[in-house]
Amino acid sequence: MSAHVEEATPRQDAEQHHGYTRVSAQALNSTARAVAGGLFGVDPYMVRVFLRDDAGFLALGINLPLPIAGGVGLPAGSLLDRVRAQRTLLGEKFTELTGAMVSRVDVRITGVANAHPKESP
């Protein structure tokens, strides 16, 4: 699976080059892991990502353990409240970084983990 990333409005003064830019599924997967790990406060290597086409958009499936208590810079509340609060932001940040439009983000909590320092925005 790969996503095509196109510049929405090419600069008029830029030299035009024919071709395309393709972002590999591995690059999209790595980006989603990094974003999810940063938002949820876990090591990105503990995050599993599943990408699928959803009528031309990208659906993200995120499986990860969560810290039991919100660490410094992490939202407080129940595990479900914390996931709901971060799910939309995860899709927005992923789209901002990759240009791939996200239709949905499904998060599955697979266990608990020690808090990992949250990345600054």
Side-chain angles (χ1 to χ4, degrees):
M1 176 184 295
S2 62
H4 296 281
V5 179
E6 298 177 18
E7 190 172 332
T9 54
R11 292 181 22 201
Q12 297 299 323
D13 60 343
E15 184 178 333
Q16 294 295 318
H17 296 281
H18 297 285
Y20 61 90
T21 301
R22 187 176 302 245
V23 179
S24 72
Q26 182 174 347
L28 293 172
N29 192 301
S30 297
T31 302
R33 282 187 12 229
V35 171
L39 286 175
F40 290 106
V42 296
D43 189 319
Y45 292 105
M46 298 178 79
V47 178
R48 297 292 170 252
V49 174
F50 301 92
L51 307 171
R52 75 181 200 304
D53 180 75
D54 185 19
F57 295 94
L58 194 60
L60 300 177
I62 307 292
N63 295 357
L64 75 166
L66 290 181
I68 290 205
V72 175
L74 296 173
S78 74
L79 294 176
L80 289 176
D81 289 341
R82 289 171 28 215
V83 169
R84 287 182 187 124
Q86 299 289 34
R87 201 171 44 202
T88 301
L89 184 57
L90 193 157
E92 290 170 355
K93 285 188 126 187
F94 181 82
T95 295
E96 178 184 328
L97 291 169
T98 65
M101 299 300 295
V102 175
S103 62
R104 64 182 295 137
V105 177
D106 298 321
V107 177
R108 175 175 287 172
I109 302 167
T110 59
V112 294
N114 291 327
H116 186 30
K118 186 173 180 178
E119 295 177 9
S120 54

